[in-house]
């Protein structure tokens, strides 16, 4: 699906590019019976990575407890069955190839808990940022044609100076795919060789 010929045939423009942070996935939901948050990672509801996520999540609200209470009330009364998806960057417990000065969580998406994939629009993420104080994923650019995208892709393929993990691209049909930077791929390969 992500080979260049298939992308050319199947992408529906415009195509939006977001910066790919380098951490692990954290999922935040709401338990109606317990009247409390549910924390999870991609593969588990418990364990050290869930605890890393939970610790960083609550640390974010230490100076703004009113925002935490607002978020609880949002989940209680307004949520309509959604999951908040974060990139969890923990520089102490889970260092990655891309170096960060501080640990943090970044809101990537808010996804509806339904069989068919559906997510909140990027403009809603900005609302969550303003209301709850979340850092949100960074929108980099948008391509309106295949030519715009392919020119950028060719340029990015030869760029070793971009010190991020890469990009997540989303087309108008909500098809997502990743493009990793040469810098990240090089150091990942070096890490594998060293191990």
């Amino acid at each position: 699906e992500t080979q260049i010929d298939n992308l050319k045939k199947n992408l529906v423009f415009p195509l939006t590019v977001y910066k790919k942070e380098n951490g692990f996935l954290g999922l935040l939901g709401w338990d109606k019976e317990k009247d409390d948050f549910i924390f999870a990672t991609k593969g588990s509801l418990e364990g050290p990575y869930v605890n890393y996520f939970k610790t960083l999540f609550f640390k974010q609200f230490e100076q703004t407890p009113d925002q935490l209470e607002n978020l609880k009330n949002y989940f209680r009364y307004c949520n309509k069955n959604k999951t908040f998806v974060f990139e969890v960057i923990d520089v102490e417990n889970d260092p990655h190839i891309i170096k960060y000065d501080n640990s943090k969580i970044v809101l990537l998406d808010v996804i509806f808990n339904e069989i068919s994939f559906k997510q909140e629009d990027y403009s809603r993420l900005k609302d969550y940022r303003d209301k709850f104080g979340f850092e949100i994923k960074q929108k980099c650019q948008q391509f309106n044609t295949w030519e715009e995208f392919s020119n950028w892709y060719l340029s990015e393929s030869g760029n070793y100076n971009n010190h991020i993990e890469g990009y997540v691209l989303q087309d108008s049909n909500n098809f997502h795919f990743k493009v990793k930077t040469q810098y990240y791929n090089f150091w990942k390969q070096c890490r594998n060789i060293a191990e």
Side-chain angles (χ1 to χ4, degrees):
E1 291 181 312
T2 58
Q3 290 180 349
I4 202 78
D5 290 339
N6 290 330
L7 289 174
K8 186 172 185 178
K9 285 189 283 188
N10 297 319
L11 286 178
V12 179
F13 289 87
L15 181 67
T16 307
V17 182
Y18 300 96
K19 178 183 175 186
K20 169 76 177 78
E21 301 289 353
N22 194 205
F24 68 90
L25 210 58
L27 308 170
L28 179 72
W30 188 256
D31 186 328
K32 292 176 185 172
E33 291 180 15
K34 294 181 180 176
D35 193 41
D36 203 359
F37 295 115
I38 298 171
F39 293 89
T41 60
K42 192 164 53 171
S44 180
L45 289 166
E46 52 190 37
Y49 286 88
V50 173
N51 291 332
Y52 302 154
F53 172 36
K54 197 184 289 190
T55 298
L56 289 175
F57 174 83
F58 284 116
K59 184 176 182 183
Q60 173 173 313
F61 295 104
E62 285 176 348
Q63 305 301 317
T64 56
D66 54 326
Q67 285 183 329
L68 179 61
E69 198 55 39
N70 287 341
L71 182 61
K72 286 182 180 179
N73 286 329
Y74 171 81
F75 271 99
R76 282 184 186 118
Y77 306 116
C78 309
N79 180 324
K80 305 223 177 9
N81 208 19
K82 299 172 191 168
T83 298
F84 282 47
V85 181
F86 294 89
E87 191 81 11
V88 181
I89 298 150
D90 188 330
V91 298
E92 293 175 26
N93 299 302
D94 186 44
H96 279 66
I97 290 171
I98 303 302
K99 300 297 179 207
Y100 290 87
D101 293 332
N102 301 302
S103 297
K104 62 181 180 175
I105 60 173
V106 178
L107 182 61
L108 302 177
D109 280 304
V110 175
I111 302 200
F112 291 82
N113 299 335
E114 299 174 359
I115 301 268
S116 299
F117 179 79
K118 188 173 139 189
Q119 69 190 75
E120 293 271 27
D121 190 67
Y122 187 73
S123 63
R124 290 288 293 142
L125 294 188
K126 292 178 180 177
D127 293 340
Y128 297 132
R129 175 195 63 202
D130 297 342
K131 190 168 187 176
F132 307 125
F134 292 130
E135 181 177 336
I136 62 172
K137 66 183 177 182
Q138 180 183 338
K139 185 176 181 179
C140 300
Q141 55 192 324
Q142 183 172 299
F143 302 118
N144 294 311
T145 65
W146 172 258
E147 290 71 27
E148 289 178 13
F149 164 68
S150 62
N151 288 338
W152 170 83
Y153 182 78
L154 288 172
S155 171
E156 199 55 48
S157 297
N159 181 0
Y160 285 85
N161 297 317
N162 199 352
H163 296 184
I164 63 172
E165 180 180 345
Y167 304 94
V168 175
L169 294 90
Q170 178 182 344
D171 82 353
S172 296
N173 277 345
N174 283 327
F175 176 73
H176 294 75
F177 63 101
K178 296 179 203 173
V179 172
K180 302 289 180 100
T181 64
Q182 289 299 328
Y183 175 85
Y184 177 83
N185 286 334
F186 173 78
W187 286 108
K188 185 174 182 183
Q189 185 178 19
C190 288
R191 183 183 67 184
N192 292 341
I193 291 168
E195 287 174 355

